[in-house]
Amino acid sequence: MQFFVDTAEIADIKKLYETGLLDGVTTNPSLVAKSGRNFKEVVKEICGIVPGPVSAEVAALDYDGMIAEGEVLAKLADNVVVKLPLTFDGLRATKTFAGRGVKTNVTLCFSPNQALLAAKVGATYISPFIGRLDDINLEGMELIEQIRTIYDNYNFTTQILAASIRSANHVTQAALAGADVATIPPSVIYKLVDHPLTKNGLEQFVKDWKSTGQSIL
Ligand code: G3P
């Protein structure tokens, strides 16, 4: 499973990239607003840090606007993935970009039918939002399972990018359900390494090692 970080915060992206765990980055208008940075500048900077796919979302809602904005975004760096909303205009723009060899991420997916449409127009990634479905008392993870089945039934190559991940358990469940990628907030990525038995075991090893009085170097 590939790990993308879901943020526009440069410090977190740098720190996580150094761990070797990061395969890509996703941003969205809310994350850009939170960063307080200029959108195009921050996307360029992220693309210079992480060589993998970096999703940058269009703001336009109409087809012509999406194409115009997507072209600008795609020119910012070779690894930009143009993020488009799951609307008919967004799907049409996805088809156009697919024909031009531009990678796309179709976002705000909340149903298997929406995911089917995105695959049919040749989306590179589909982003089902797990946490937001959980928020309204639905099973977000069921959607990942359903999309996995549909895509496998027809050999669609669109990659399932589990988004709106809110917990370490979401990451486990998305991996079990066969998501190709999880885009994860930095706070959740840091939590993935934690286990109380690892912490306790390490404390004991440190103590016992000190008692030997030895040094490896
Ligand atoms: O990648 C989409 C993600 O940023 C949405 O997450 O927590 O705002 O639902 P959330």
Side-chain angles (χ1 to χ4, degrees), residues 6 26 28 31 83 129 132 163-164 166 183:
D6 197 26
T26 53
N28 64 36
L31 295 171
K83 204 169 176 186
F129 276 37
R132 291 191 193 184
S164 187
R166 307 269 179 79
T183 189

Side-chain angles (χ1 to χ4, degrees), residues 72-122:
V72 170
L73 296 175
K75 277 184 194 141
L76 292 176
D78 287 346
N79 50 335
V80 164
V81 173
V82 177
K83 204 169 176 186
L84 299 146
L86 218 154
T87 60
F88 275 115
D89 282 39
L91 292 168
R92 189 180 156 207
T94 301
K95 178 89 181 168
T96 300
F97 282 124
R100 297 178 185 176
V102 173
K103 289 190 176 163
T104 54
N105 174 359
V106 177
T107 190
L108 292 167
C109 170
F110 294 96
S111 81
N113 282 340
Q114 289 181 322
L116 179 55
L117 299 180
K120 282 182 69 64
V121 293

Side-chain angles (χ1 to χ4, degrees), residues 130-188:
I130 307 311
R132 291 191 193 184
L133 282 168
D134 290 356
D135 287 346
I136 57 163
N137 215 16
L138 294 171
E139 276 296 330
M141 215 47 72
E142 232 172 56
L143 176 58
I144 302 284
E145 290 164 7
Q146 290 168 331
I147 299 172
R148 181 75 281 155
T149 302
I150 291 168
Y151 283 9
D152 290 350
N153 282 349
Y154 297 97
N155 294 323
F156 283 124
T157 54
T158 299
Q159 294 185 54
I160 304 172
L161 199 174
S164 187
I165 294 270
R166 307 269 179 79
S167 66
N169 191 43
H170 271 161
V171 178
T172 308
Q173 296 306 318
L176 286 169
D180 300 287
V181 189
T183 189
I184 317 169
S187 58
V188 176

